[in-house]
Amino acid sequence: MKKSIVFSFIIASMSLLITGCSENRTATTTNSNKAQINMVDGVYSAYFDDYNDLSLNLIDNLTEINENLKHTEEETSASILQFINLIEESDLIKVPQISGENLKLRQKEDYYSISVETKDFYNRPWIFYGFDDGDSNSYVKITNISSEIGQLDSDEIYEFMNAMDPIPDDGVFYPPYTEMYEETIDMNDKSIDVLFAKRDNDPRVYANFIYDDSMVIICCSEENIESGFLNEFGLGNLELK
Amino acid sequence: MKISKLLSVILGFTVISASTPYSTAIAVTSNGSGLNVSMNNTSIDCLPNYISQAYDMTNVVEVSDLDATDEYSITFLNNDGTYSLLQFMTPIKYYDSNSNSYRFIDNEIVTSKETGYEFENKANSFSSMFPCSSSDGVVFKDSDYSVKMIPVSDNDNSADKVVSDYNSECEYISYGNVYGTDTDLRYYIENNGLKETLVLNDRPDFSTYSFELQLEGLEIKEHSGSSIILYDIETGEETLKLNPVFIQDSSDYFNTTYNNTYSVEAIDYNDYLVTVNLDAEFLNSDEIVYPCTVDPTIYYTRMGTLSGSYATQSGNTVLSNYYQAGSFNGVGECITYIKVNGLENKKWLNPNNILECIMTFKDCSAGYYNSGTITCYDSNSILNVNNVSYSQLVSALGMTIDSVAVSNVDCYYDFDITYLLKKWISNQIGQGGFTYNYGCIFRGDSTLLGRRAYSDGTTYHPYIEIKFTRDYTIENGIYKISSASNQKYIQNNGLSQNVTATSTTISNSGKWRITNDGDGLYTIQPYDDLSKYLYVSSTNANTNLTVSSSAFKWYITANNNGTFRLMPATSASVSTAATYSSGNVILSDYTNANDKNWNINLLYFANVDNYFDNGYSVRYGETNNASQAILNGYMEAISDRYRELLGLDFIYSTNYYNSGVDQCKGTVTSSNIDSLCGHTSNHTGYQSVKSSFISDSSASNTLTAAYWTGHKIDTTGMGGVYTTSYNRSFSSGYRIYMLELCNSTNREYNSKSVLMHELNHQYGAPDHYHEILADGTCRGGAICSVCGSNPRPSTCIMCQGRMDITSDNVICDGCKGQMITHLEGHHIN
């Protein structure tokens, strides 16, 4: 009940912001000047400078995005709304950690450290966390799959990805990976099955796994994986502000 | 040699400079920084009184730095966007080598810092120093020479600083009774030098006055005459001039005589006795009312932009800081002849942009209160200002330029000489007109009693005001610049290297970014190295154009034949322009010759035809005409940015289009605008919209057809996306589909953004935002700003979609590179 009241209040606040805004852009920010909503060719995303920015603005920005497309893109709207609800239920955002500390984000001019992309695998929002990894464009992306795991009654990554493939009978694995193999990795205090893969014309490695109720894809250099990056990896909880 | 009781010394020193008076100031930079000198204290509040009081500052917004280094002029930016350049007869600024900057001249008399002197002038390029005792001699000096003037007299009197009776802002130094009782020497500090005046308070016993002239760096060659020249010892150039002297009495009618001469005797090396022989008959006449003023006695001046004289009916030519018209007792009618010199240094002006030119004088005709008219005439003959006769002026009277009624005294009168100035400038740039050497003539009507306009040199300075607009023909953008003589392109060859023009084929090093600095001047930067600027180390002829890190500025002025002249904008006085010379580009004196004119063209061209339907106008509640105007506004904004970022010349049109959706709905209203078509052909589906527009519009690889609608369009499945979507704008083939729906708040911002995004596609830029397509690949691929292995910046409009299109990074380097590659293919201008 309490959650509903809070959510309604946010919606109302957003409406005021949109209608009362004197700037001629739809991308409005809420609690911070940093976070930014972007829309290009009908595709919405939200950018954040750091973890604090994310905890302050994630819900507001996703809510605003949902308001903008709920009448035109029902599937996307529904997945965003589900994403919001899952976070609000816990008041926590899953964030990547190394040895118990939040992953150090990249600080690169003209590139955002954290973004939420609404048109990604399985037509659901994913949160991207960019990090420094030599010359590679490396990131960890995370999405909540707790409901799907419940339906599948399995946390096998390969099984999950097959089940989520939007076109399961086309003979193409989704996402379009090559050189796939599975390996069990001691990850922090857990033993996790990781599906490693590569993509054409891309030197990076993709490590796909399910961690608690989240699906995680790490895209980074092969050297980084070989140096034991995954052994120190874990997910932490960032409280909503 | 007994020369006691010798009297009045009447001298006029005039610098006769063979070279431009401006080059010295520019060349004297102390730190090797070439032309990079600055102007101090250029705010309106810091202007000297003689400018702010003489000129109506009501409409002035700020002081322009256009002519910061020009000693004779100042330019104001007016609140209507025009400029007013005031060109003075005397310098108003001087170069201060200590600060490597230009400062306004300040003629205040202050306590001297020099040992042995009581007073001196406050701020100028020269020093005038006054000893406590007149027998120690007054010194006038600048960096190259000095003159010491010692009255030959038994009397020795002390200096007093006096405030003028007639002008509280005018101070002078007075030595009383120097040549005996009732003979006072007065020294006035003027912008252009030092003026000595001898006042005879009563009838003198004698009519010759002498002084010793001690020179350093100068010598005298002639030994008698109405004027004496002082020559530079090293260069032999005429440097100073003792002008003809006149005496004037205190009657209401200014009884005047010019029958006075000099005689000079060498005493020692560079030491001379100068005697002035005054008109004894005049001095002893019963009609003369004392005191009489021998004026000017010692007058030092540099040649200004205005030069003039007046000729008397009685046969004299008078060079002074007075201009006279009408009848004067003793000399008859006076006619003034004035030339506006230095216009060879105003070749950057476009005659078509000159709005007005006014010559302003202050009437100081004490004693004359009758009304009359003074007329300004064009001169039919080129006459010598220094030696013009009354009859010559009468014969040379040409077309009437302006007539001004004069009545009150001590007020300003303006003559409109716009016609003449345009002709004079046109002649300078080889576009017709006639030379400024003809000058103009000022004559009173037959009943006019003598009127005198003057400069006292200290508090009032005659000037011309040239009101003009800047030449904004070239807008910010990327251009190629080729010689009008052979079409060869100016090419950057690296830092400090001479630029060349050797090829008619354009390369990257032949592309230049031209930027208006907001003050009508331009920087020209090599596009292959935007940290550098087109540069010259000097404005002298034969100087090579190079490339420097210094943000050097240029005049870019349109010629009548569509070409341009490029002139270094270090000063408002410049005569040289970029010139093609055997594969090099150098400065030379501008004439309207092909090798001095340049074609300046944007690099590429592209056409866009916009089509909007009733759905668009109805969506935004406006008429078709309003939609057309608004869309043209968006196109103009995009055009500005493409010109600046890519050198793309954007040609566009916007027209109503009876679209397939309009036809489907019949009458389009706000009630059916969101309705989807129920026909089999699904007119509101994006594929139907697309095929309909393709058949209705023309397009090619240089012509984009853009469809704007406000109808709800189903875009589900478009572009490899399997989820439902509506009104996603897109680019396909040679057409773009502007389907995005906006509200009144975000319409302009979003429309411009989306338009640029889609047009960028037309010119080769790919998307690099993140969107997973039906096959699991990302739309951005390897360059996706989020997931790509070689990501492009998120700040690019090909990632952000909606952003401020005026931001510096609206198109990232990667996308820009691809667009240029595309434009090079088939959009070459």
PDB file of all heavy atoms in Angstrom, chain B residues 619 661-662 664-665 667-679 682-685 710-714 726-727 741:
ATOM      1  N   ARG B 619      -2.310  18.706 -37.018  1.00  0.00           N
ATOM      2  CA  ARG B 619      -1.702  18.240 -35.767  1.00  0.00           C
ATOM      3  C   ARG B 619      -1.281  19.411 -34.896  1.00  0.00           C
ATOM      4  O   ARG B 619      -1.437  19.413 -33.682  1.00  0.00           O
ATOM      5  CB  ARG B 619      -0.505  17.344 -36.083  1.00  0.00           C
ATOM      6  CG  ARG B 619       0.390  16.977 -34.901  1.00  0.00           C
ATOM      7  CD  ARG B 619      -0.275  16.051 -33.909  1.00  0.00           C
ATOM      8  NE  ARG B 619      -0.642  14.756 -34.496  1.00  0.00           N
ATOM      9  CZ  ARG B 619      -1.231  13.783 -33.811  1.00  0.00           C
ATOM     10  NH1 ARG B 619      -1.524  13.942 -32.514  1.00  0.00           N
ATOM     11  NH2 ARG B 619      -1.558  12.652 -34.414  1.00  0.00           N
ATOM     12  N   VAL B 661      -2.364   9.639 -47.080  1.00  0.00           N
ATOM     13  CA  VAL B 661      -3.150   9.589 -45.837  1.00  0.00           C
ATOM     14  C   VAL B 661      -4.213  10.682 -45.850  1.00  0.00           C
ATOM     15  O   VAL B 661      -5.350  10.472 -45.439  1.00  0.00           O
ATOM     16  CB  VAL B 661      -2.251   9.727 -44.600  1.00  0.00           C
ATOM     17  CG1 VAL B 661      -3.033   9.407 -43.327  1.00  0.00           C
ATOM     18  CG2 VAL B 661      -1.036   8.820 -44.705  1.00  0.00           C
ATOM     19  N   ASP B 662      -3.826  11.885 -46.324  1.00  0.00           N
ATOM     20  CA  ASP B 662      -4.805  12.962 -46.457  1.00  0.00           C
ATOM     21  C   ASP B 662      -5.972  12.512 -47.346  1.00  0.00           C
ATOM     22  O   ASP B 662      -7.152  12.721 -47.027  1.00  0.00           O
ATOM     23  CB  ASP B 662      -4.158  14.191 -47.102  1.00  0.00           C
ATOM     24  CG  ASP B 662      -3.478  15.110 -46.096  1.00  0.00           C
ATOM     25  OD1 ASP B 662      -3.462  14.746 -44.895  1.00  0.00           O
ATOM     26  OD2 ASP B 662      -2.957  16.164 -46.497  1.00  0.00           O
ATOM     27  N   CYS B 664      -6.905   9.543 -48.014  1.00  0.00           N
ATOM     28  CA  CYS B 664      -7.649   8.460 -47.365  1.00  0.00           C
ATOM     29  C   CYS B 664      -8.718   9.016 -46.425  1.00  0.00           C
ATOM     30  O   CYS B 664      -9.850   8.541 -46.387  1.00  0.00           O
ATOM     31  CB  CYS B 664      -6.680   7.563 -46.616  1.00  0.00           C
ATOM     32  SG  CYS B 664      -7.443   6.370 -45.506  1.00  0.00           S
ATOM     33  N   LYS B 665      -8.327  10.082 -45.687  1.00  0.00           N
ATOM     34  CA  LYS B 665      -9.240  10.613 -44.680  1.00  0.00           C
ATOM     35  C   LYS B 665     -10.182  11.671 -45.246  1.00  0.00           C
ATOM     36  O   LYS B 665     -11.112  12.112 -44.573  1.00  0.00           O
ATOM     37  CB  LYS B 665      -8.447  11.200 -43.515  1.00  0.00           C
ATOM     38  CG  LYS B 665      -7.700  10.112 -42.718  1.00  0.00           C
ATOM     39  CD  LYS B 665      -6.955  10.677 -41.531  1.00  0.00           C
ATOM     40  CE  LYS B 665      -6.255   9.534 -40.772  1.00  0.00           C
ATOM     41  NZ  LYS B 665      -5.417  10.037 -39.670  1.00  0.00           N
ATOM     42  N   THR B 667     -11.389  14.930 -45.493  1.00  0.00           N
ATOM     43  CA  THR B 667     -11.142  16.135 -44.704  1.00  0.00           C
ATOM     44  C   THR B 667     -10.395  15.738 -43.432  1.00  0.00           C
ATOM     45  O   THR B 667     -10.873  14.927 -42.644  1.00  0.00           O
ATOM     46  CB  THR B 667     -12.461  16.828 -44.329  1.00  0.00           C
ATOM     47  OG1 THR B 667     -13.171  17.117 -45.535  1.00  0.00           O
ATOM     48  CG2 THR B 667     -12.198  18.107 -43.552  1.00  0.00           C
ATOM     49  N   VAL B 668      -9.248  16.309 -43.284  1.00  0.00           N
ATOM     50  CA  VAL B 668      -8.436  15.988 -42.099  1.00  0.00           C
ATOM     51  C   VAL B 668      -8.827  16.917 -40.972  1.00  0.00           C
ATOM     52  O   VAL B 668      -8.848  18.141 -41.135  1.00  0.00           O
ATOM     53  CB  VAL B 668      -6.936  16.133 -42.411  1.00  0.00           C
ATOM     54  CG1 VAL B 668      -6.111  15.792 -41.179  1.00  0.00           C
ATOM     55  CG2 VAL B 668      -6.557  15.243 -43.588  1.00  0.00           C
ATOM     56  N   THR B 669      -9.154  16.347 -39.838  1.00  0.00           N
ATOM     57  CA  THR B 669      -9.516  17.150 -38.677  1.00  0.00           C
ATOM     58  C   THR B 669      -8.794  16.595 -37.456  1.00  0.00           C
ATOM     59  O   THR B 669      -8.199  15.511 -37.499  1.00  0.00           O
ATOM     60  CB  THR B 669     -11.031  17.090 -38.405  1.00  0.00           C
ATOM     61  OG1 THR B 669     -11.356  15.740 -38.022  1.00  0.00           O
ATOM     62  CG2 THR B 669     -11.828  17.481 -39.646  1.00  0.00           C
ATOM     63  N   SER B 670      -8.879  17.342 -36.383  1.00  0.00           N
ATOM     64  CA  SER B 670      -8.244  16.879 -35.148  1.00  0.00           C
ATOM     65  C   SER B 670      -8.940  15.617 -34.636  1.00  0.00           C
ATOM     66  O   SER B 670      -8.376  14.882 -33.829  1.00  0.00           O
ATOM     67  CB  SER B 670      -8.291  17.991 -34.089  1.00  0.00           C
ATOM     68  OG  SER B 670      -9.618  18.413 -33.893  1.00  0.00           O
ATOM     69  N   SER B 671     -10.142  15.362 -35.124  1.00  0.00           N
ATOM     70  CA  SER B 671     -10.864  14.177 -34.676  1.00  0.00           C
ATOM     71  C   SER B 671     -10.374  12.900 -35.359  1.00  0.00           C
ATOM     72  O   SER B 671     -10.433  11.816 -34.787  1.00  0.00           O
ATOM     73  CB  SER B 671     -12.371  14.332 -34.958  1.00  0.00           C
ATOM     74  OG  SER B 671     -12.863  15.472 -34.322  1.00  0.00           O
ATOM     75  N   ASN B 672      -9.928  13.029 -36.590  1.00  0.00           N
ATOM     76  CA  ASN B 672      -9.506  11.797 -37.289  1.00  0.00           C
ATOM     77  C   ASN B 672      -7.996  11.692 -37.469  1.00  0.00           C
ATOM     78  O   ASN B 672      -7.509  10.789 -38.119  1.00  0.00           O
ATOM     79  CB  ASN B 672     -10.209  11.671 -38.646  1.00  0.00           C
ATOM     80  CG  ASN B 672      -9.841  12.793 -39.611  1.00  0.00           C
ATOM     81  OD1 ASN B 672      -8.819  13.456 -39.436  1.00  0.00           O
ATOM     82  ND2 ASN B 672     -10.676  12.999 -40.627  1.00  0.00           N
ATOM     83  N   ILE B 673      -7.284  12.629 -36.903  1.00  0.00           N
ATOM     84  CA  ILE B 673      -5.846  12.640 -37.145  1.00  0.00           C
ATOM     85  C   ILE B 673      -5.149  11.433 -36.513  1.00  0.00           C
ATOM     86  O   ILE B 673      -4.109  10.975 -36.988  1.00  0.00           O
ATOM     87  CB  ILE B 673      -5.236  13.966 -36.635  1.00  0.00           C
ATOM     88  CG1 ILE B 673      -3.835  14.131 -37.229  1.00  0.00           C
ATOM     89  CG2 ILE B 673      -5.169  14.030 -35.131  1.00  0.00           C
ATOM     90  CD1 ILE B 673      -3.454  15.535 -37.389  1.00  0.00           C
ATOM     91  N   ASP B 674      -5.728  10.922 -35.444  1.00  0.00           N
ATOM     92  CA  ASP B 674      -5.134   9.745 -34.796  1.00  0.00           C
ATOM     93  C   ASP B 674      -5.788   8.447 -35.250  1.00  0.00           C
ATOM     94  O   ASP B 674      -5.471   7.371 -34.717  1.00  0.00           O
ATOM     95  CB  ASP B 674      -5.243   9.875 -33.275  1.00  0.00           C
ATOM     96  CG  ASP B 674      -4.257  10.881 -32.727  1.00  0.00           C
ATOM     97  OD1 ASP B 674      -3.135  10.956 -33.289  1.00  0.00           O
ATOM     98  OD2 ASP B 674      -4.585  11.595 -31.758  1.00  0.00           O
ATOM     99  N   SER B 675      -6.681   8.556 -36.209  1.00  0.00           N
ATOM    100  CA  SER B 675      -7.351   7.342 -36.687  1.00  0.00           C
ATOM    101  C   SER B 675      -6.443   6.560 -37.616  1.00  0.00           C
ATOM    102  O   SER B 675      -5.711   7.141 -38.427  1.00  0.00           O
ATOM    103  CB  SER B 675      -8.617   7.728 -37.459  1.00  0.00           C
ATOM    104  OG  SER B 675      -9.477   8.477 -36.647  1.00  0.00           O
ATOM    105  N   LEU B 676      -6.512   5.256 -37.488  1.00  0.00           N
ATOM    106  CA  LEU B 676      -5.759   4.391 -38.395  1.00  0.00           C
ATOM    107  C   LEU B 676      -6.666   3.936 -39.523  1.00  0.00           C
ATOM    108  O   LEU B 676      -7.873   3.760 -39.335  1.00  0.00           O
ATOM    109  CB  LEU B 676      -5.189   3.193 -37.642  1.00  0.00           C
ATOM    110  CG  LEU B 676      -4.106   3.544 -36.614  1.00  0.00           C
ATOM    111  CD1 LEU B 676      -3.696   2.303 -35.834  1.00  0.00           C
ATOM    112  CD2 LEU B 676      -2.891   4.163 -37.285  1.00  0.00           C
ATOM    113  N   CYS B 677      -6.092   3.754 -40.668  1.00  0.00           N
ATOM    114  CA  CYS B 677      -6.839   3.423 -41.870  1.00  0.00           C
ATOM    115  C   CYS B 677      -7.379   1.987 -41.791  1.00  0.00           C
ATOM    116  O   CYS B 677      -6.680   1.075 -41.349  1.00  0.00           O
ATOM    117  CB  CYS B 677      -5.927   3.584 -43.082  1.00  0.00           C
ATOM    118  SG  CYS B 677      -6.645   2.980 -44.618  1.00  0.00           S
ATOM    119  N   GLY B 678      -8.626   1.800 -42.245  1.00  0.00           N
ATOM    120  CA  GLY B 678      -9.206   0.466 -42.271  1.00  0.00           C
ATOM    121  C   GLY B 678      -9.197  -0.155 -43.652  1.00  0.00           C
ATOM    122  O   GLY B 678      -9.681  -1.272 -43.844  1.00  0.00           O
ATOM    123  N   HIS B 679      -8.645   0.572 -44.615  1.00  0.00           N
ATOM    124  CA  HIS B 679      -8.604   0.023 -45.969  1.00  0.00           C
ATOM    125  C   HIS B 679      -7.611  -1.112 -46.072  1.00  0.00           C
ATOM    126  O   HIS B 679      -6.674  -1.216 -45.276  1.00  0.00           O
ATOM    127  CB  HIS B 679      -8.227   1.115 -46.985  1.00  0.00           C
ATOM    128  CG  HIS B 679      -9.193   2.248 -47.034  1.00  0.00           C
ATOM    129  ND1 HIS B 679      -8.815   3.575 -46.978  1.00  0.00           N
ATOM    130  CD2 HIS B 679     -10.561   2.254 -47.115  1.00  0.00           C
ATOM    131  CE1 HIS B 679      -9.873   4.356 -47.038  1.00  0.00           C
ATOM    132  NE2 HIS B 679     -10.950   3.570 -47.113  1.00  0.00           N
ATOM    133  N   ASN B 682      -4.150  -0.082 -46.245  1.00  0.00           N
ATOM    134  CA  ASN B 682      -3.621   0.439 -44.983  1.00  0.00           C
ATOM    135  C   ASN B 682      -2.817   1.724 -45.188  1.00  0.00           C
ATOM    136  O   ASN B 682      -1.600   1.758 -45.044  1.00  0.00           O
ATOM    137  CB  ASN B 682      -2.746  -0.628 -44.293  1.00  0.00           C
ATOM    138  CG  ASN B 682      -2.332  -0.176 -42.907  1.00  0.00           C
ATOM    139  OD1 ASN B 682      -2.917   0.753 -42.339  1.00  0.00           O
ATOM    140  ND2 ASN B 682      -1.319  -0.830 -42.352  1.00  0.00           N
ATOM    141  N   HIS B 683      -3.534   2.788 -45.520  1.00  0.00           N
ATOM    142  CA  HIS B 683      -2.871   4.053 -45.842  1.00  0.00           C
ATOM    143  C   HIS B 683      -2.055   4.614 -44.690  1.00  0.00           C
ATOM    144  O   HIS B 683      -1.169   5.443 -44.905  1.00  0.00           O
ATOM    145  CB  HIS B 683      -3.911   5.097 -46.290  1.00  0.00           C
ATOM    146  CG  HIS B 683      -4.563   4.749 -47.584  1.00  0.00           C
ATOM    147  ND1 HIS B 683      -5.886   4.334 -47.678  1.00  0.00           N
ATOM    148  CD2 HIS B 683      -4.087   4.719 -48.850  1.00  0.00           C
ATOM    149  CE1 HIS B 683      -6.197   4.090 -48.937  1.00  0.00           C
ATOM    150  NE2 HIS B 683      -5.109   4.307 -49.674  1.00  0.00           N
ATOM    151  N   THR B 684      -2.363   4.228 -43.474  1.00  0.00           N
ATOM    152  CA  THR B 684      -1.604   4.742 -42.332  1.00  0.00           C
ATOM    153  C   THR B 684      -0.496   3.780 -41.894  1.00  0.00           C
ATOM    154  O   THR B 684       0.149   3.997 -40.880  1.00  0.00           O
ATOM    155  CB  THR B 684      -2.529   5.032 -41.129  1.00  0.00           C
ATOM    156  OG1 THR B 684      -3.311   3.861 -40.873  1.00  0.00           O
ATOM    157  CG2 THR B 684      -3.435   6.214 -41.401  1.00  0.00           C
ATOM    158  N   GLY B 685      -0.280   2.762 -42.642  1.00  0.00           N
ATOM    159  CA  GLY B 685       0.872   1.895 -42.371  1.00  0.00           C
ATOM    160  C   GLY B 685       2.114   2.485 -43.029  1.00  0.00           C
ATOM    161  O   GLY B 685       2.039   3.120 -44.091  1.00  0.00           O
ATOM    162  N   GLY B 710       1.521  14.692 -39.587  1.00  0.00           N
ATOM    163  CA  GLY B 710       1.075  14.620 -38.197  1.00  0.00           C
ATOM    164  C   GLY B 710       0.070  13.508 -37.987  1.00  0.00           C
ATOM    165  O   GLY B 710      -0.463  13.330 -36.887  1.00  0.00           O
ATOM    166  N   HIS B 711      -0.203  12.767 -39.053  1.00  0.00           N
ATOM    167  CA  HIS B 711      -1.096  11.617 -38.914  1.00  0.00           C
ATOM    168  C   HIS B 711      -0.443  10.550 -38.055  1.00  0.00           C
ATOM    169  O   HIS B 711       0.782  10.408 -38.050  1.00  0.00           O
ATOM    170  CB  HIS B 711      -1.408  11.003 -40.292  1.00  0.00           C
ATOM    171  CG  HIS B 711      -2.268  11.863 -41.169  1.00  0.00           C
ATOM    172  ND1 HIS B 711      -3.582  12.142 -40.878  1.00  0.00           N
ATOM    173  CD2 HIS B 711      -2.005  12.510 -42.335  1.00  0.00           C
ATOM    174  CE1 HIS B 711      -4.095  12.912 -41.835  1.00  0.00           C
ATOM    175  NE2 HIS B 711      -3.150  13.154 -42.716  1.00  0.00           N
ATOM    176  N   LYS B 712      -1.256   9.772 -37.394  1.00  0.00           N
ATOM    177  CA  LYS B 712      -0.728   8.619 -36.681  1.00  0.00           C
ATOM    178  C   LYS B 712      -0.360   7.555 -37.716  1.00  0.00           C
ATOM    179  O   LYS B 712      -1.178   7.172 -38.562  1.00  0.00           O
ATOM    180  CB  LYS B 712      -1.763   8.064 -35.706  1.00  0.00           C
ATOM    181  CG  LYS B 712      -1.230   6.930 -34.845  1.00  0.00           C
ATOM    182  CD  LYS B 712      -2.251   6.509 -33.783  1.00  0.00           C
ATOM    183  CE  LYS B 712      -1.663   5.438 -32.867  1.00  0.00           C
ATOM    184  NZ  LYS B 712      -2.626   5.041 -31.809  1.00  0.00           N
ATOM    185  N   ILE B 713       0.872   7.118 -37.680  1.00  0.00           N
ATOM    186  CA  ILE B 713       1.378   6.144 -38.654  1.00  0.00           C
ATOM    187  C   ILE B 713       1.880   4.917 -37.888  1.00  0.00           C
ATOM    188  O   ILE B 713       2.661   5.045 -36.930  1.00  0.00           O
ATOM    189  CB  ILE B 713       2.526   6.750 -39.492  1.00  0.00           C
ATOM    190  CG1 ILE B 713       2.091   8.052 -40.164  1.00  0.00           C
ATOM    191  CG2 ILE B 713       3.043   5.731 -40.507  1.00  0.00           C
ATOM    192  CD1 ILE B 713       1.007   7.895 -41.213  1.00  0.00           C
ATOM    193  N   ASP B 714       1.457   3.777 -38.327  1.00  0.00           N
ATOM    194  CA  ASP B 714       1.901   2.524 -37.702  1.00  0.00           C
ATOM    195  C   ASP B 714       3.251   2.132 -38.298  1.00  0.00           C
ATOM    196  O   ASP B 714       3.362   1.859 -39.486  1.00  0.00           O
ATOM    197  CB  ASP B 714       0.866   1.432 -37.975  1.00  0.00           C
ATOM    198  CG  ASP B 714       1.196   0.133 -37.234  1.00  0.00           C
ATOM    199  OD1 ASP B 714       2.308   0.051 -36.644  1.00  0.00           O
ATOM    200  OD2 ASP B 714       0.352  -0.779 -37.247  1.00  0.00           O
ATOM    201  N   TYR B 726       4.714   3.312 -33.271  1.00  0.00           N
ATOM    202  CA  TYR B 726       4.019   4.294 -34.086  1.00  0.00           C
ATOM    203  C   TYR B 726       4.900   5.518 -34.291  1.00  0.00           C
ATOM    204  O   TYR B 726       5.617   5.938 -33.374  1.00  0.00           O
ATOM    205  CB  TYR B 726       2.692   4.722 -33.434  1.00  0.00           C
ATOM    206  CG  TYR B 726       1.710   3.585 -33.320  1.00  0.00           C
ATOM    207  CD1 TYR B 726       1.646   2.819 -32.154  1.00  0.00           C
ATOM    208  CD2 TYR B 726       0.857   3.265 -34.384  1.00  0.00           C
ATOM    209  CE1 TYR B 726       0.762   1.777 -32.030  1.00  0.00           C
ATOM    210  CE2 TYR B 726      -0.029   2.212 -34.269  1.00  0.00           C
ATOM    211  CZ  TYR B 726      -0.077   1.468 -33.097  1.00  0.00           C
ATOM    212  OH  TYR B 726      -0.942   0.419 -32.986  1.00  0.00           O
ATOM    213  N   ASN B 727       4.799   6.078 -35.464  1.00  0.00           N
ATOM    214  CA  ASN B 727       5.422   7.368 -35.788  1.00  0.00           C
ATOM    215  C   ASN B 727       6.917   7.419 -35.490  1.00  0.00           C
ATOM    216  O   ASN B 727       7.431   8.410 -34.978  1.00  0.00           O
ATOM    217  CB  ASN B 727       4.692   8.507 -35.057  1.00  0.00           C
ATOM    218  CG  ASN B 727       3.313   8.712 -35.631  1.00  0.00           C
ATOM    219  OD1 ASN B 727       2.352   8.055 -35.192  1.00  0.00           O
ATOM    220  ND2 ASN B 727       3.195   9.595 -36.617  1.00  0.00           N
ATOM    221  N   LEU B 741       5.658  12.650 -33.634  1.00  0.00           N
ATOM    222  CA  LEU B 741       4.641  13.584 -33.142  1.00  0.00           C
ATOM    223  C   LEU B 741       5.197  14.352 -31.956  1.00  0.00           C
ATOM    224  O   LEU B 741       5.804  13.770 -31.056  1.00  0.00           O
ATOM    225  CB  LEU B 741       3.375  12.825 -32.751  1.00  0.00           C
ATOM    226  CG  LEU B 741       2.773  11.943 -33.850  1.00  0.00           C
ATOM    227  CD1 LEU B 741       1.500  11.256 -33.348  1.00  0.00           C
ATOM    228  CD2 LEU B 741       2.475  12.763 -35.111  1.00  0.00           C
TER     229      LEU B 741
END
